[in-house]
PDB file of all heavy atoms in Angstrom:
ATOM      1  N   ASN R 228     -85.863  28.978-208.367  1.00  0.00           N
ATOM      2  CA  ASN R 228     -85.174  28.049-207.472  1.00  0.00           C
ATOM      3  C   ASN R 228     -83.897  28.637-206.868  1.00  0.00           C
ATOM      4  O   ASN R 228     -83.106  27.906-206.259  1.00  0.00           O
ATOM      5  CB  ASN R 228     -84.837  26.768-208.234  1.00  0.00           C
ATOM      6  CG  ASN R 228     -86.048  25.890-208.473  1.00  0.00           C
ATOM      7  OD1 ASN R 228     -86.433  25.105-207.622  1.00  0.00           O
ATOM      8  ND2 ASN R 228     -86.651  26.031-209.648  1.00  0.00           N
ATOM      9  N   ASN R 229     -83.666  29.934-207.064  1.00  0.00           N
ATOM     10  CA  ASN R 229     -82.482  30.623-206.510  1.00  0.00           C
ATOM     11  C   ASN R 229     -81.161  30.027-206.994  1.00  0.00           C
ATOM     12  O   ASN R 229     -80.135  30.155-206.331  1.00  0.00           O
ATOM     13  CB  ASN R 229     -82.499  30.608-204.970  1.00  0.00           C
ATOM     14  CG  ASN R 229     -83.566  31.507-204.399  1.00  0.00           C
ATOM     15  OD1 ASN R 229     -84.072  32.395-205.081  1.00  0.00           O
ATOM     16  ND2 ASN R 229     -83.920  31.290-203.150  1.00  0.00           N
ATOM     17  N   HIS R 230     -81.175  29.392-208.148  1.00  0.00           N
ATOM     18  CA  HIS R 230     -79.979  28.678-208.592  1.00  0.00           C
ATOM     19  C   HIS R 230     -78.823  29.615-208.938  1.00  0.00           C
ATOM     20  O   HIS R 230     -77.653  29.261-208.745  1.00  0.00           O
ATOM     21  CB  HIS R 230     -80.306  27.805-209.803  1.00  0.00           C
ATOM     22  CG  HIS R 230     -79.130  27.020-210.301  1.00  0.00           C
ATOM     23  ND1 HIS R 230     -78.574  25.981-209.587  1.00  0.00           N
ATOM     24  CD2 HIS R 230     -78.381  27.149-211.422  1.00  0.00           C
ATOM     25  CE1 HIS R 230     -77.546  25.487-210.252  1.00  0.00           C
ATOM     26  NE2 HIS R 230     -77.401  26.169-211.362  1.00  0.00           N
ATOM     27  N   PHE R 231     -79.124  30.801-209.458  1.00  0.00           N
ATOM     28  CA  PHE R 231     -78.057  31.728-209.819  1.00  0.00           C
ATOM     29  C   PHE R 231     -77.213  32.140-208.610  1.00  0.00           C
ATOM     30  O   PHE R 231     -76.077  32.578-208.763  1.00  0.00           O
ATOM     31  CB  PHE R 231     -78.634  33.005-210.447  1.00  0.00           C
ATOM     32  CG  PHE R 231     -79.213  32.804-211.822  1.00  0.00           C
ATOM     33  CD1 PHE R 231     -80.402  33.419-212.171  1.00  0.00           C
ATOM     34  CD2 PHE R 231     -78.571  32.024-212.763  1.00  0.00           C
ATOM     35  CE1 PHE R 231     -80.941  33.261-213.432  1.00  0.00           C
ATOM     36  CE2 PHE R 231     -79.104  31.852-214.029  1.00  0.00           C
ATOM     37  CZ  PHE R 231     -80.297  32.474-214.365  1.00  0.00           C
ATOM     38  N   TYR R 232     -77.778  32.011-207.430  1.00  0.00           N
ATOM     39  CA  TYR R 232     -77.130  32.540-206.225  1.00  0.00           C
ATOM     40  C   TYR R 232     -76.603  31.432-205.320  1.00  0.00           C
ATOM     41  O   TYR R 232     -76.156  31.690-204.212  1.00  0.00           O
ATOM     42  CB  TYR R 232     -78.133  33.420-205.471  1.00  0.00           C
ATOM     43  CG  TYR R 232     -78.985  34.238-206.415  1.00  0.00           C
ATOM     44  CD1 TYR R 232     -80.275  33.828-206.764  1.00  0.00           C
ATOM     45  CD2 TYR R 232     -78.474  35.386-207.006  1.00  0.00           C
ATOM     46  CE1 TYR R 232     -81.035  34.551-207.669  1.00  0.00           C
ATOM     47  CE2 TYR R 232     -79.234  36.112-207.910  1.00  0.00           C
ATOM     48  CZ  TYR R 232     -80.511  35.690-208.244  1.00  0.00           C
ATOM     49  OH  TYR R 232     -81.253  36.395-209.152  1.00  0.00           O
ATOM     50  N   ALA R 233     -76.659  30.187-205.819  1.00  0.00           N
ATOM     51  CA  ALA R 233     -76.177  29.050-205.026  1.00  0.00           C
ATOM     52  C   ALA R 233     -74.692  29.213-204.741  1.00  0.00           C
ATOM     53  O   ALA R 233     -73.915  29.603-205.608  1.00  0.00           O
ATOM     54  CB  ALA R 233     -76.425  27.745-205.775  1.00  0.00           C
ATOM     55  N   GLY R 234     -74.309  28.957-203.517  1.00  0.00           N
ATOM     56  CA  GLY R 234     -72.897  29.033-203.133  1.00  0.00           C
ATOM     57  C   GLY R 234     -72.412  30.431-202.809  1.00  0.00           C
ATOM     58  O   GLY R 234     -71.304  30.597-202.304  1.00  0.00           O
ATOM     59  N   ALA R 235     -73.218  31.444-203.100  1.00  0.00           N
ATOM     60  CA  ALA R 235     -72.796  32.833-202.877  1.00  0.00           C
ATOM     61  C   ALA R 235     -73.193  33.297-201.474  1.00  0.00           C
ATOM     62  O   ALA R 235     -74.184  32.831-200.897  1.00  0.00           O
ATOM     63  CB  ALA R 235     -73.418  33.750-203.917  1.00  0.00           C
ATOM     64  N   TYR R 236     -72.402  34.233-200.951  1.00  0.00           N
ATOM     65  CA  TYR R 236     -72.735  34.872-199.671  1.00  0.00           C
ATOM     66  C   TYR R 236     -73.725  35.993-199.948  1.00  0.00           C
ATOM     67  O   TYR R 236     -73.466  36.887-200.743  1.00  0.00           O
ATOM     68  CB  TYR R 236     -71.472  35.433-199.031  1.00  0.00           C
ATOM     69  CG  TYR R 236     -71.716  36.222-197.768  1.00  0.00           C
ATOM     70  CD1 TYR R 236     -72.518  35.720-196.759  1.00  0.00           C
ATOM     71  CD2 TYR R 236     -71.133  37.480-197.593  1.00  0.00           C
ATOM     72  CE1 TYR R 236     -72.746  36.442-195.596  1.00  0.00           C
ATOM     73  CE2 TYR R 236     -71.344  38.209-196.436  1.00  0.00           C
ATOM     74  CZ  TYR R 236     -72.158  37.692-195.445  1.00  0.00           C
ATOM     75  OH  TYR R 236     -72.372  38.412-194.295  1.00  0.00           O
ATOM     76  N   TRP R 237     -74.877  35.947-199.252  1.00  0.00           N
ATOM     77  CA  TRP R 237     -75.925  36.917-199.530  1.00  0.00           C
ATOM     78  C   TRP R 237     -75.860  38.146-198.631  1.00  0.00           C
ATOM     79  O   TRP R 237     -76.650  39.074-198.783  1.00  0.00           O
ATOM     80  CB  TRP R 237     -77.305  36.251-199.401  1.00  0.00           C
ATOM     81  CG  TRP R 237     -77.529  35.211-200.459  1.00  0.00           C
ATOM     82  CD1 TRP R 237     -76.676  34.866-201.460  1.00  0.00           C
ATOM     83  CD2 TRP R 237     -78.678  34.381-200.616  1.00  0.00           C
ATOM     84  NE1 TRP R 237     -77.217  33.874-202.233  1.00  0.00           N
ATOM     85  CE2 TRP R 237     -78.444  33.552-201.738  1.00  0.00           C
ATOM     86  CE3 TRP R 237     -79.875  34.252-199.926  1.00  0.00           C
ATOM     87  CZ2 TRP R 237     -79.376  32.612-202.178  1.00  0.00           C
ATOM     88  CZ3 TRP R 237     -80.795  33.308-200.361  1.00  0.00           C
ATOM     89  CH2 TRP R 237     -80.554  32.507-201.480  1.00  0.00           C
ATOM     90  N   GLY R 238     -74.938  38.144-197.686  1.00  0.00           N
ATOM     91  CA  GLY R 238     -74.749  39.319-196.855  1.00  0.00           C
ATOM     92  C   GLY R 238     -75.698  39.381-195.671  1.00  0.00           C
ATOM     93  O   GLY R 238     -76.688  38.647-195.574  1.00  0.00           O
ATOM     94  N   GLU R 239     -75.382  40.293-194.756  1.00  0.00           N
ATOM     95  CA  GLU R 239     -76.132  40.390-193.509  1.00  0.00           C
ATOM     96  C   GLU R 239     -77.566  40.855-193.728  1.00  0.00           C
ATOM     97  O   GLU R 239     -78.461  40.525-192.952  1.00  0.00           O
ATOM     98  CB  GLU R 239     -75.400  41.330-192.558  1.00  0.00           C
ATOM     99  CG  GLU R 239     -74.029  40.782-192.132  1.00  0.00           C
ATOM    100  CD  GLU R 239     -73.235  41.766-191.295  1.00  0.00           C
ATOM    101  OE1 GLU R 239     -73.719  42.899-191.086  1.00  0.00           O
ATOM    102  OE2 GLU R 239     -72.122  41.406-190.865  1.00  0.00           O
TER     103      GLU R 239
END
Side-chain angles (χ1 to χ4, degrees):
N228 286 276
N229 289 341
H230 181 69
F231 289 139
Y232 321 99
Y236 175 48
W237 294 359
E239 295 174 357

